[in-house]
Amino acid sequence: MAYQIEGEARPGRWLVSCDHASNRVPDWVGGGSLGIGPHDMARHIAWDVGAAGLARALARRLDCPAILSDFSRLVIDPNRGEADPTLVMQLYDGTIIPANRHIPRHAVDERLDRLYHPYHAAYARLAARQTDTVIVAIHSFTPSLKGRPPRPWHVGVLHSHLDDRLSRPLIARLEWEADLCIGDNEPYAGHLPGDAIDRHALAIGRHNALIELRNDLIATEAAQDHWAARLAPILTAALHEAEG
């Protein structure tokens, strides 16, 4: 299966997505291996550590559906456009991905057809269930990349210059939290043509926000529940301000 959906019947207008929810490699891809060891497959290079649990918990708090990928970002990245050169990563944070080094076009097409396209088709269907859907994408980031300085942010909010109606009040409200260091388009820039937000929110004009949590803060189920409880009212208030 390319994805999991939770709470499809929930009535809330939000849709929580988690593009990098899993580090699973399907059996039909290299017999279930990309040629790297369990340690690397458990790292942030293969998935967004802790993000799936946070996405599920947040969707429960917002009484809305959640869609989660069910394949590793190293197999094919659903948060990249189909023409993006990093769609199938060959090197990530110092780790070479052997199964991707010389991948032929037909193998990329198979991953697109069996994983990427079904995920986005289900995403689009869920997003279209209401006319006023609001998308919040949940991601996580590692405290530091190899050889790089520590990242100071607890939470990052990524947004595009094409539509920051929700992100701006969200950032402002998070900055009111005295114990948090908030990244505005950190640790990454927020606009990536062809990515999931571009495809399912910007192209349609839907309110959207992409939230990045530092993954050491959401390593346990209790921590994920804590952050879901913290974020849900902030998101609700930010949306009210965006539409006020």
Side-chain angles (χ1 to χ4, degrees):
M1 193 66 172
Y3 58 87
Q4 296 180 7
I5 295 173
E6 294 198 5
E8 186 167 358
R10 292 173 187 154
R13 63 182 288 203
W14 295 86
L15 173 59
V16 177
S17 68
C18 190
D19 300 319
H20 301 144
S22 174
N23 61 356
R24 185 179 73 91
V25 179
D27 290 343
W28 51 268
V29 176
S33 172
L34 295 171
I36 61 177
H39 172 74
D40 274 326
M41 286 304 299
R43 294 175 60 218
H44 69 98
I45 65 171
W47 63 330
D48 280 357
V49 178
L54 174 58
R56 292 186 177 99
L58 182 61
R60 290 193 296 269
R61 294 277 179 175
L62 295 172
D63 198 23
C64 73
I67 182 165
L68 304 96
S69 69
D70 196 24
F71 53 92
S72 173
R73 67 196 300 170
L74 294 180
V75 176
I76 193 163
D77 194 333
N79 197 37
R80 295 292 185 271
E82 294 185 43
D84 193 302
T86 64
L87 178 69
V88 178
M89 291 289 284
Q90 298 180 20
L91 173 69
Y92 196 173
D93 196 19
T95 296
I96 294 170
I97 318 303
N100 296 345
R101 283 292 302 281
H102 304 291
I103 186 170
R105 183 66 232 183
H106 70 84
V108 176
D109 289 341
E110 183 178 21
R111 297 182 193 187
L112 284 167
D113 290 342
R114 297 180 68 170
L115 299 171
Y116 184 101
H117 291 151
Y119 173 73
H120 283 292
Y123 196 145
R125 178 178 59 79
L126 283 175
R129 80 199 190 287
Q130 297 190 35
T131 58
D132 60 351
T133 295
V134 182
I135 294 175
V136 56
I138 298 298
H139 292 255
S140 71
F141 63 94
T142 186
S144 65
L145 295 171
K146 287 185 176 180
R148 304 286 184 87
R151 291 162 160 173
W153 312 284
H154 301 98
V155 184
V157 177
L158 309 192
H159 53 90
S160 169
H161 62 283
L162 299 175
D163 184 359
D164 58 5
R165 293 172 296 166
L166 178 58
S167 296
R168 286 299 176 195
L170 176 59
I171 291 168
R173 288 179 178 276
L174 286 167
E175 286 177 338
W176 294 344
E177 305 285 310
D179 61 324
L180 297 182
C181 177
I182 306 302
D184 180 345
N185 267 342
E186 297 286 1
Y188 317 107
H191 182 68
L192 188 61
D195 70 4
I197 288 292
D198 190 34
R199 179 188 296 244
H200 298 292
L202 298 179
I204 292 92
R206 294 184 176 114
H207 280 299
N208 65 89
L210 191 156
I211 298 176
E212 293 263 5
L213 265 290
R214 206 176 66 204
N215 65 28
D216 61 315
L217 302 177
I218 51 172
T220 66
E221 184 177 347
Q224 293 155 13
D225 288 341
H226 165 79
W227 276 98
R230 189 169 187 177
L231 289 171
I234 294 174
L235 281 163
T236 301
L239 178 60
H240 179 76
E241 184 175 344
E243 295 185 325

